[in-house]
Amino acid sequence: MTVSAVLARDLGGAAAGQTRLRNFVDGAFIDEGKPFDVVNPVDGTVHARAYEADDAIVGRAVAAARQALDHWRAIPLNERRRFLNALASGIEKRFDDFVAAEVADTGKPVSVASHLDIPRGAANFRVFADAIAAASTEFYEMDTHDGGRALNYAVRRPHGVVAVISPWNLPLLLLTWKVAPALASGNTVVIKPSEETPSTATLLAEVAQEVGIPRGVLNLVHGFGPQSAGEILTRHPGVDAITFTGESRTGSAIMRAASDGIKAISFELGGKNPAVVFADAGFTKTVDGIAHAVFSNTGQVCLAPERVYVERPIFERFVEALKAKAEALKPGWPQSADTTLGPLISAEHRTKVLNYYKLAVAEGARVVTGGGVPRFGDARDNGFFVQPTIWTGLDESARCVKEEIFGPVCHIAPFDEEAQVVRAANDSVYGLAASIWTSDLSRAHRVARAIEVGITWVNCWFLRDLRTPFGGLKMSGIGREGGVHSLNFYSEPSNVCIKL
Ligand code: NAD
Ligand code: 6OD
């Protein structure tokens, strides 16, 4: 079945072949909001129409979420867990619809959506259904001044209404990563997905309806960021906490908005991640690993290394081997089994990435491969593809080495000493993720401690145990999510002291 055949439903009011992506408020889809186009990045066609939520719609969504709070908090934990598992099963039941929707919005290969995005969307609900059952709190016994005893224990309280604001690169994965622990902890949510990728969030709302999530517990508003649904939501006095994934600059804007209501915030932001390759690393596996890390999802992964440091004895050989990997990538239609590289998300993002391709040359880079746009001679020329690109020869102070590009591109620099590469890796305003490639275990431990990031992988990349702390240092974020860390953000401990 083609993507458009799966999505061609609910057509009233939209052009034939387009899906309507409506706001979901208080348990119902509503026919309100200003329409905006959702573009398929493979060929630039409009494949869906979403409806921008204004003040009134966002206000109703927040009010519905507040109204639902008492009921959602009070239902037995096992019942809440059953709902989370039902959301996971609902995603799995409509797996092909979710894959088709994610592919239509992002242009990513079907193989990526069906092996990463959608399975993780379901897994996030299952993991937090289990995590909440295992959650513990603190307990302290104390002496009292009159010679008696008292007991202290903490109870977890949900914040209340949580705004979930998510980006376009891994749409369902990143959204459910936050919705699941928020709901598990007893909060209700208002979701604002990226305007570029509203489809899987809308399917999730359909699943919520299908599995009978109580009305008002999960609400969805579509729209943009500044002066639109995103900003309206973050400024709304009825929102108690904001969880956000996206650009660091947007994080600053949301932080300002959140300061008015002293709202709790959790931010997963940008990165300029280093990969450090020592000469003793297994060569072929390392080249494969770095190629995967740099080019997966067309480099649109916050954890992707855009700075690769390679120990000098293997530098030239490594550059040649990574070049061969980049040149073997096959950009193309998402449904083709041999496609390994999708387009960038939008024309605007492509312009940004191509400007960096130009800037690198102006900054003195040697372009090892890429630097332009592939030509297909068909409709894909209207899409937003770029060539996978590798540079060498840039100064560490170059903007292309300092700024997050978020495309299929890296700079490779040689290094001679461990201390030198650690300094270079840490010379960044970001501190999200690093990978270290070596067969020397002591060195791996040492360098992992020395590099200032929230997540380090050794001889692997993006290998995820969802119980582990996930988040960034410096401008890469505030707070940690994952396992108990998520539960600690989505609830607050309140102490109860009992004098015996
Ligand atoms: P973005 O910040 O432009 O947008 C993210 C979301 O925020 C969208 O839903 C957008 O509509 C909304 N938004 C924008 N301005 C807003 C405002 N003023 N108020 C409220 N909402 C607003 O990010 P993007 O371009 O969608 O995503 C790419 C960025 O996300 C990259 O920087 C990437 O590194 C980062 N990212 C980080 C992680 C992580 O885990 N650290 C994961 C994925 C992506
Ligand atoms: O795996 C995750 O839980 C996660 N938040 C990944 C983020 C990827 C960034 O693009």
Side-chain angles (χ1 to χ4, degrees), residues 473-493:
L473 308 182
K474 307 186 201 172
M475 282 182 66
S476 291
I478 297 181
R480 292 290 175 273
E481 300 205 26
V484 71
H485 306 278
S486 296
L487 303 183
N488 289 346
F489 172 70
Y490 293 102
S491 63
E492 290 189 289

Side-chain angles (χ1 to χ4, degrees), residues 22-315:
R22 293 178 295 169
N23 297 292
F24 183 71
V25 175
D26 203 14
F29 284 96
I30 58 169
D31 284 312
E32 291 166 61
K34 188 169 159 205
F36 65 94
D37 289 342
V38 185
V39 172
N40 181 338
V42 176
D43 58 8
T45 55
V46 174
H47 79 85
R49 182 165 292 169
Y51 294 84
E52 183 184 3
D54 58 12
D55 285 277
I57 296 171
V58 173
R60 273 156 51 201
V62 173
R66 291 216 78 76
Q67 180 75 29
L69 264 176
D70 284 348
H71 172 60
W72 184 245
R73 280 201 270 239
I75 65 171
L77 182 60
N78 276 344
E79 182 72 354
R80 222 188 295 146
R81 294 178 60 225
R82 193 186 63 72
F83 278 124
L84 292 185
N85 283 318
L87 285 168
S89 302
I91 293 172
E92 285 156 358
K93 227 159 101 189
R94 297 186 59 186
F95 191 83
D96 291 347
D97 289 356
F98 274 91
V99 168
E102 207 74 298
V103 166
D105 279 356
T106 61
K108 65 179 75 191
V110 167
S111 56
V112 175
S114 54
H115 286 108
L116 173 66
D117 299 71
I118 309 308
R120 259 299 297 279
N124 286 338
F125 284 110
R126 293 206 194 284
V127 161
F128 287 107
D130 289 346
I132 195 69
S136 61
T137 59
E138 290 165 81
F139 167 81
Y140 301 101
E141 206 174 340
M142 66 185 283
D143 296 335
T144 57
H145 60 280
D146 60 0
R149 304 284 292 159
L151 305 179
N152 291 277
Y153 66 93
V155 289
R156 288 179 180 276
R157 281 185 200 284
H159 286 288
V161 176
V162 175
V164 180
I165 302 185
S166 55
W168 45 257
N169 60 322
L170 301 168
L172 185 73
L173 185 162
L174 292 172
L175 185 84
T176 51
W177 174 240
K178 290 170 173 296
V179 169
L183 293 183
S185 302
N187 303 280
T188 56
V189 296
V190 181
I191 300 167
K192 211 299 279 171
S194 168
E195 56 275 27
E196 314 279 4
T197 54
S199 295
T200 45
T202 311
L203 285 181
L204 181 67
E206 287 184 14
V207 167
Q209 208 176 33
E210 283 157 17
V211 303
I213 299 291
R215 53 188 272 206
V217 168
L218 183 152
N219 305 273
L220 166 71
V221 292
H222 290 300
F224 305 83
Q227 294 162 22
S228 179
E231 186 179 344
I232 296 168
L233 190 55
T234 57
R235 293 198 177 282
H236 199 291
V239 167
D240 301 293
I242 302 169
T243 181
F244 166 72
T245 303
E247 278 196 41
S248 301
R249 210 178 21 188
T250 309
S252 302
I254 293 180
M255 213 166 168
R256 281 192 290 275
S259 70
D260 275 347
I262 319 286
K263 294 172 180 150
I265 51 170
S266 175
F267 285 175
E268 297 179 355
L269 307 176
K272 186 75 182 178
N273 309 300
V276 179
V277 180
F278 289 94
D280 63 7
F283 188 82
T284 307
K285 279 196 176 151
T286 301
V287 172
D288 288 350
I290 298 273
H292 174 60
V294 172
F295 301 119
S296 289
N297 212 41
T298 315
Q300 301 167 122
V301 179
C302 60
L303 311 159
E306 291 188 354
R307 300 183 287 151
V308 180
Y309 298 97
V310 179
E311 207 169 0
R312 199 173 301 272
I314 60 163
F315 177 75

